[in-house]
Amino acid sequence: MKILFSKTAHDAGISAARVFADVLKKKPNAVVGLATGSSPIGMYDELTEMTKRGEISFRDVHSVNLDEYVGLTPEHDQSYNYFMHKNLFDRVDIKAENTNLPSGIAKDPTAECKRYDALIASMGGIDIQVLGIGNNGHIGFNEPADAFTKGTTLVNLTDSTIDANSRFFASRDLVPTRAISMGVGQIMKAKRILLIALGKGKAEILERALFGDVTPRVPASILQFAEDVTVCADEDALSVILEKHPEAVTR
Ligand code: GLP
């Protein structure tokens, strides 16, 4: 595992974009696993700039997103579909038909999970999977639980996640209580994983995830077993790691 230090969130976005761009340069038709949340926004901004400068292209790229809220239409401004269009898809040369997210409005969410699993399998696996980390250690929407999820799952969101995400909605009761999320097993199959963590609020959980026990109570802790993980984080998110394991951080 590589833990790359950045002084600021802006620099961490640039550092993450370099890791991501390297994959596209080596494999222009890569399958990329994408994430939402505030953490990857800086990376998406930089990838947009790199595309404008002609350094990379998404022309032959296929994407699969980690998750989507159940009950939100793709046009809803808090849906992850909307987020992806605004922050990346509408700004780069990716083909709309090559982008994929679970549908939040599928009549049968369980069937939608199966469809998504089959889709990922048919794409031949994920070359790079981008992740943020939730305050409780979740990845995608895989919440702390007794066991790691395997494939795409219909999840009940925890109170802490609903609280954390209520900042984006007019009121807490408008936050969806369920989501469809790629499973931890699928995330672990990605050839490369890029985890982005920003801000003081992530410092404790990031240290527990990367150095604590591997347990489904901290879903991101499974990344300790992944083959190829790069963590791009700012100084604030790294503060506990810098204190306890300074030797693990690359400056
Ligand atoms: C949401 C998403 C996660 C994301 C997490 C952290 O719950 N489902 O994929 O990693 O929030 O978000 P942020 O990056 O805004 O802290």
Side-chain angles (χ1 to χ4, degrees), residues 36-40 66-67 80 132-134 138 140-141 161 165 167 202:
T36 53
S38 49
S39 307
L66 279 172
D67 46 15
Y80 286 165
I133 181 168
H138 75 214
F141 266 134
T161 297
N165 292 357
R167 67 189 194 274
K202 299 290 169 68

Side-chain angles (χ1 to χ4, degrees), residues 33-40 44 66-67 129-135 137-141 187 193-198 202 205-206 220 223 232:
L34 301 176
T36 53
S38 49
S39 307
Y44 293 147
L66 279 172
D67 46 15
Q129 177 64 58
V130 179
L131 297 174
I133 181 168
N135 294 330
H138 75 214
I139 44 177
F141 266 134
I187 292 170
I193 291 173
L194 171 58
L195 174 70
I196 305 169
L198 307 174
K202 299 290 169 68
I205 194 67
L206 191 64
L223 299 178
C232 290

